[in-house]
Amino acid sequence: MKRSFDAMEAKPVFLSKEERQRLALERRQAAVADQRRSALDILQSLPRPPPPPPPSGAPRDSSSSHRDPSDRDRGDRGDRDRDRDRDRRRDDDSRRDRDRDRDRDRDEPSRRDRDRDRDRDREHRDRERGERDKDREKDRLEKMAEREREKELEAIKEQYLGSKKPKKRVIKPSEKFRFSFDWENTEDTSRDMNMLYQAPHEARLLYGRGFLAGIDRREQKKAAAVFEKETRAEQRRKFGVEDRPEDDVADKKKAAAAEMYDAFDMRVDRHWSEKGIEEMTERDWRIFREDFNISYKGSRIPRPMRNWPESKLGTELLRAIEKVGYKKPSPIQMAAIPLGLQQRDVIGIAETGSGKTAAFVLPMLSYITRLPPISEDNEAEGPYAVVMAPTRELAQQIEEETVKFATYLGIKVVSIVGGQSIEEQGFKIRQGCEVVIATPGRLLDCLERRYAVLNQCNYVVLDEADRMIDMGFEPQVVGVLDAMPSSNLKPENEEEELDEKMSRLQKILTDLGDKTAIVFCNTKKSADNRAKDLDKAGFRVTALHGGKSQDQREISLDGFRNRRFNVLVATDVAGRGIDIPDVAHVINYEMPSSVDTYTHRIGRTGRAGKKGLATSFLTLDNTDIFFDLKQMLTQSNSPVPPELARHEASKFKPGSVPDRPPRRNDTVYASH
Ligand SMILES: Nc1ncnc2c1ncn2[C@@H]1O[C@H](COP(=O)(O)OP(=O)(O)OP(=O)(O)O)[C@@H](O)[C@H]1O
C-alpha cells in the first residue's frame, strides 16, 4: 500500500524498546537522587538535640559551708583581747583575700583552658553523634532507593519479558469453539449428517454413493434429508447460531430433490463459487474460508460475505463502492464487514495493504446512514463516530479512504491531528460532522478544553491499536473513551446479555407460581424452540401457532384453560380471534414490529377490571418499534425505560429521517 507522507511536517519520534527502557531507568535514578537530596536537606534543617548535663565532678560553690577554725575558741578570750583579735582577724582576712586573689589570678588561664577543652570535647562528641545519625539516615535512604530501583527494574522486566507468575489458564467458551484448519475425526460432518454412520458397527450392504442395497432409494434419500435437517437445526441450537431464511430455503430444496428420482445423488457437488448463497453447505463455507485464509475467534459469528451484493451495506453505500471501483471485497473485508454491520466489537487482524481501512469504514458509514444527518438540532452533541490512529499520517490516510465513500452519502468528516490550530479544529467539529478521525492526544486536548464533546458517539475505531499502546497513548485513548457518556457503552459481555433473555424468562415464570402466562414469539420455529426449552426446564408448557393442526391447537388450548399447562408459548395466532382466558402475565419474549400487535398481545392480561402484568424483552433487533412504543408509553403515562428514551431510534419515526443531499467536499481540512 502506498502512503503519502508529508516530509515537511515534523514526525513523531519512535523509540525502540531498549531506548524506552533506558530512558525510564534514567528518569527513575534522577527521581531517587532528588528524593535523597531533599531527605538530607530536611535532616539538616531539624533542631539539634540539647547538650548533655554537666559531669558529676564539676566544681560546686561551697563557700557558705566553710567555717574558719580560728573562730572556734573565740568566746573564751577576754574583752581585752577582743578588739586586738578583731584587728588581727581583719588583717588576716584581708591578707587571705589578697592571697586568694593572687592565686586565682595565677590559676585563671589554666582553668579557662580546661573549660574550653571540655566544651570542645562536648562539641566534638555532639558532632560525631550527628555524623553517625546522618550516616545511618543516609544508609537507610540508600537502601530504600535501592529497593525502589529493584522494584522498578522488576516492573520493567515484567512489562517487556512477561510475568514469571504462572497464570491460571481459563478457557473461554469462544476458544472452545474456535475454528481450526486442522482436520480432526470429530469434524467429519458426513458422520453427523448421514444416518448410515449412526450405527457403524452394523453390517450393511452398500452400493452407489452410500445407499443401502435392497431398500427404496427415494425413501432413503427422504429420510436422509429429514435427518440432515434435524441434525443441522440441533447443531445450530447447540452453538447458538440463529436460524436464517436461507437455511430454510436450502432445507426445502434438499427435501424437494429427495422427492425426485433423478440421480441427483450421483452428481459431483459444485464449487461454492457456482452456488447461490442459499445452496452453500457447511463444507462450502469451510472451503470458502480456507480459500481466503479467513479465521475467527469468538462465537455467534455471522457468515463472511462472498461479494459486495451479498453484503448488507445498503444500496447507497454499494453504489458508492461501485463508483470508487472496488470490484471485490478483500478477505478482511469479507470477514469483518458482516460483524461490523451487526455492531459487534471486532478486532481485525490482516497484513498491511489488505484493505483494513475500508473494512471498518464501510460498516461505520452504514451505521451512520441509519441515523438522522447532523443538523443544527444535534451538531452541538458532537460526532456519531470516532476513529483514532497513532500518527497524523495514518489519520490523514484513513480520512482519505473515508471521504472516498462519505462524499457520496453526504457524510461530513473532520480530522483532528497535531500541528494544526486546535481552536479551528474545535470550531469545525462544532459546525457539525458525523465522523471525527483523530490522533488521541490532540482529540483529548480538544475535549478537555471543551472545544468538542462526544455526547452521541456510539462507534469507536482504534486503528493500529497495538501501536498506539506501544507509543504510550493508552492514557489519551482511555481519556477519549471516558469522555463518551457511559450510557453509550455496550454491555461488557454481549454474549451474556443475549443469553440473559432465556434465564430471565425462566425467572419470571418461576416467580409466577401457579398463575398463568402467555409467552409471545414472532415465528413458529422460535415458539416451538422456546416451548421445548421451557419444557426441558420443567415448566408446564404448551405451544400454539399456525403450524399446528386444528386438533393440536385445541389440545393446547384446552390444556391451558383447565390449567394442565400454565404457560402458553404462542405466536400472534393467539393474539387475535382466539378465546383465551385472562392471564396474569403476558411476556413479549420477542417484540412485534408494530405497536398494534403489541397492544393486542398485552390485551390478553388485565381484562374485565382484573390486574395484569406485561413484560417485554426489547433488544437492538427491535429498533423499528422504538419510536411508536415510546410514544405509546408516554401517552398512557407509563414509565419509559431510560435505555429506550435515549436511543436514537426512539427519537425519529422509522423512515422519517430525511434523505441526505449528496454533499461534496465535505471533508474539512483545518489548517493554521
Ligand atoms: N476491496 C478493494 N478493492 C480494491 N482496492 C481496495 C479494496 N480495499 C482497499 N483497497 C485499496 O487498497 C489499498 C490498501 O488499503 P488500506 O490502506 O486499507 O490497507 P491497510 O490494510 O489499512 O494497510 P496498512 O496496514 O498499511 O494500514 C488502498 O489504496 C485502498 O484504497
Side-chain angles (χ1 to χ4, degrees):
M1 179 189 61
K2 195 174 157 296
R3 287 198 164 156
S4 58
F5 285 86
D6 189 346
M8 298 305 287
E9 290 197 7
K11 290 184 182 178
V13 181
F14 298 102
L15 299 177
S16 67
K17 275 185 190 171
E18 291 73 24
E19 281 170 320
R20 270 184 310 202
Q21 199 170 351
R22 185 176 51 74
L23 282 177
L25 257 178
E26 280 173 13
R27 266 202 306 277
R28 183 64 205 154
Q29 278 164 354
V32 169
D34 272 356
Q35 205 180 355
R36 200 179 306 153
R37 248 195 318 277
S38 56
L40 284 178
D41 286 350
I42 292 168
L43 214 76
Q44 275 162 1
S45 64
L46 287 176
R48 280 164 186 271
S56 55
R60 227 184 282 158
D61 183 6
S62 57
S63 59
S64 60
S65 62
H66 279 265
R67 295 191 85 181
D68 191 344
S70 64
D71 289 349
R72 219 178 290 153
D73 300 326
R74 201 168 35 190
D76 300 335
R77 301 213 176 121
D79 286 344
R80 263 180 301 119
D81 298 331
R82 200 166 286 148
D83 290 341
R84 206 180 53 229
D85 281 353
R86 199 184 297 130
D87 290 344
R88 205 177 57 228
R89 242 189 351 260
R90 202 182 297 129
D91 288 347
D92 282 352
D93 280 352
S94 61
R95 199 179 57 241
R96 254 198 316 272
D97 281 351
R98 265 200 315 275
D99 286 352
R100 207 167 32 229
D101 283 351
R102 204 174 46 242
D103 284 354
R104 203 175 50 218
D105 285 350
R106 201 183 54 234
D107 290 347
E108 188 63 16
S110 62
R111 198 173 63 83
R112 261 196 251 123
D113 278 353
R114 263 201 319 276
D115 285 353
R116 211 179 301 128
D117 282 351
R118 212 175 15 247
D119 285 349
R120 213 179 293 136
D121 273 359
R122 197 180 308 137
E123 262 177 35
H124 185 67
R125 270 200 307 278
D126 286 352
R127 219 181 7 252
E128 270 187 347
R129 195 176 308 131
E131 291 285 331
R132 268 202 307 279
D133 284 352
K134 259 192 227 166
D135 281 352
R136 258 204 301 278
E137 182 61 17
K138 206 168 126 189
D139 277 358
R140 199 178 66 79
L141 286 175
E142 266 175 9
K143 270 191 197 135
M144 216 163 74
E146 183 63 27
R147 267 203 304 276
E148 283 291 309
R149 206 164 37 236
E150 274 170 15
K151 260 197 227 163
E152 183 81 11
L153 270 173
E154 268 311 306
I156 292 174
K157 256 199 232 162
E158 196 173 306
Q159 187 184 353
Y160 288 96
L161 304 176
S163 170
K164 274 188 224 146
K165 281 180 230 151
K167 280 193 188 141
K168 199 175 158 208
R169 179 156 163 69
V170 182
I171 302 174
K172 289 186 246 158
S174 56
E175 274 178 316
K176 271 198 210 162
F177 306 118
R178 180 172 34 179
F179 175 74
S180 155
F181 289 108
D182 297 328
W183 283 90
E184 281 176 21
N185 262 352
T186 50
E187 290 187 348
D188 185 353
T189 49
S190 62
R191 265 171 206 286
D192 311 325
M193 297 297 179
N194 195 328
M195 265 193 303
L196 284 177
Y197 295 99
Q198 293 309 296
H201 55 283
E202 279 180 22
R204 285 172 187 250
L205 282 173
L206 301 171
Y207 68 86
R209 293 169 67 84
F211 285 94
L212 288 172
I215 298 177
D216 182 70
R217 196 158 158 162
R218 200 184 322 185
E219 285 308 312
Q220 288 188 60
K221 279 169 65 180
K222 273 204 242 171
V226 170
F227 181 76
E228 188 176 331
K229 185 179 162 191
E230 282 173 359
T231 314
R232 212 183 286 285
E234 181 66 38
Q235 281 189 343
R236 268 190 239 124
R237 253 200 313 280
K238 194 164 140 198
F239 294 109
V241 178
E242 273 172 31
D243 293 328
R244 298 164 320 142
E246 301 95 271
D247 296 328
D248 224 31
V249 174
D251 282 344
K252 282 202 180 106
K253 269 198 176 174
K254 270 191 204 130
E259 279 285 346
M260 292 191 302
Y261 194 78
D262 70 341
F264 167 82
D265 44 272
M266 302 299 283
R267 261 189 262 151
V268 174
D269 202 8
R270 288 164 297 155
H271 188 253
W272 62 261
S273 54
E274 294 167 27
K275 292 183 178 179
I277 190 147
E278 69 290 344
E279 293 174 285
M280 291 283 281
T281 61
E282 281 304 316
R283 181 172 168 271
D284 289 326
W285 284 115
R286 184 199 291 274
I287 294 170
F288 174 80
R289 288 192 297 257
E290 283 184 9
D291 282 353
F292 291 104
N293 211 0
I294 293 173
S295 62
Y296 297 98
K297 200 173 166 182
S299 53
R300 302 173 62 85
I301 298 159
R303 301 256 188 248
M305 59 191 217
R306 302 188 303 170
N307 47 46
W308 292 121
E310 280 175 17
S311 72
K312 296 193 178 104
L313 282 167
T315 38
E316 252 185 319
L317 208 48
L318 288 177
R319 219 174 298 136
I321 293 169
E322 200 183 333
K323 286 193 181 137
V324 170
Y326 288 3
K327 299 272 179 287
K328 281 191 290 181
S330 69
I332 183 72
Q333 292 163 0
M334 289 170 171
I337 289 176
L339 280 161
L341 286 176
Q342 287 189 350
Q343 288 181 45
R344 300 274 298 273
D345 289 339
V346 186
I347 297 177
I349 304 168
E351 61 193 349
T352 185
S354 53
K356 289 190 290 286
T357 317
F360 65 73
V361 161
L362 292 171
M364 176 177 80
L365 294 179
S366 163
Y367 163 77
I368 292 171
T369 52
R370 296 198 297 274
L371 302 176
I374 293 283
S375 65
E376 277 180 6
D377 294 340
N378 61 353
E379 64 190 19
E381 302 294 319
Y384 285 140
V386 163
V387 182
M388 281 184 267
T391 64
R392 75 176 73 156
E393 291 81 10
L394 188 54
Q396 275 157 359
Q397 200 184 307
I398 298 166
E399 187 190 2
E400 279 166 28
E401 187 77 0
T402 313
V403 171
K404 267 191 210 168
F405 305 98
T407 191
Y408 294 109
L409 306 165
I411 290 174
K412 220 157 116 185
V413 183
V414 169
S415 82
I416 304 288
V417 294
Q420 298 175 352
S421 153
I422 190 165
E423 288 81 5
E424 234 173 289
Q425 290 173 337
F427 178 66
K428 300 291 178 195
I429 294 188
R430 288 197 304 281
Q431 278 200 314
C433 67
E434 280 90 349
V435 182
V436 161
I437 295 168
T439 45
R442 174 51 70 102
L443 180 56
L444 185 63
D445 207 1
C446 240
L447 296 169
E448 282 175 350
R449 295 199 207 180
R450 298 277 180 270
Y451 288 147
V453 290
L454 298 176
N455 289 351
Q456 50 185 356
C457 178
N458 282 325
Y459 210 109
V460 185
V461 180
L462 307 178
D463 197 11
E464 304 211 356
D466 50 345
R467 200 161 137 216
M468 270 199 280
I469 304 300
D470 276 353
M471 288 169 72
F473 287 139
E474 192 175 351
Q476 288 86 336
V477 172
V478 171
V480 171
L481 298 180
D482 281 348
M484 297 178 192
S486 54
S487 59
N488 291 2
L489 288 179
K490 287 175 87 176
E492 188 89 343
N493 187 345
E494 281 177 71
E495 293 297 308
E496 244 170 41
E497 190 186 60
L498 292 171
D499 288 338
E500 230 158 54
K501 225 169 146 178
M502 190 59 195
S503 58
R504 281 201 189 182
L505 175 64
Q506 292 194 9
K507 165 108 184 39
I508 293 173
L509 295 181
T510 309
D511 293 347
L512 195 68
D514 241 11
K515 289 188 228 150
T516 50
I518 303 183
V519 178
F520 277 105
C521 294
N522 289 346
T523 64
K524 295 177 242 173
K525 208 171 202 171
S526 134
D528 274 338
N529 288 343
R530 292 303 77 77
K532 255 189 227 168
D533 291 344
L534 292 174
D535 184 51
K536 268 191 209 159
F539 291 97
R540 290 186 289 122
V541 60
T542 184
L544 179 70
H545 56 67
K548 300 262 179 191
S549 67
Q550 193 57 35
D551 283 354
Q552 284 170 323
R553 287 193 206 189
E554 273 169 21
I555 292 169
S556 289
L557 273 175
D558 280 348
F560 189 60
R561 284 193 196 111
N562 64 30
R563 299 283 181 107
R564 188 150 59 89
F565 308 112
N566 73 329
V567 180
L568 178 71
V569 181
T571 58
D572 288 312
V573 162
R576 297 164 197 250
I578 292 175
D579 180 28
I580 296 177
D582 179 59
V583 291
H585 204 145
V586 165
I587 299 151
N588 284 305
Y589 187 80
E590 285 163 349
M591 218 32 198
S593 53
S594 87
V595 81
D596 280 350
T597 315
Y598 171 81
T599 316
H600 277 288
R601 284 184 182 183
I602 63 168
R604 294 280 149 197
T605 186
R607 289 195 294 183
K610 286 191 195 155
K611 271 196 177 174
L613 193 64
T615 303
S616 299
F617 289 19
L618 214 56
T619 71
L620 291 176
D621 288 335
N622 310 122
T623 46
D624 280 356
I625 202 177
F626 277 16
F627 177 81
D628 287 335
L629 184 66
K630 188 169 131 187
Q631 299 293 317
M632 202 199 93
L633 292 174
T634 314
Q635 280 159 17
S636 60
N637 281 335
S638 306
V640 180
E643 293 82 0
L644 174 67
R646 65 173 167 250
H647 196 277
E648 300 100 20
S650 73
K651 296 177 189 157
F652 298 89
K653 200 168 173 54
S656 71
V657 175
D659 282 343
R660 294 158 185 281
R663 280 179 271 161
R664 280 164 199 274
N665 297 330
D666 262 335
T667 308
V668 184
Y669 293 88
S671 56
H672 49 158

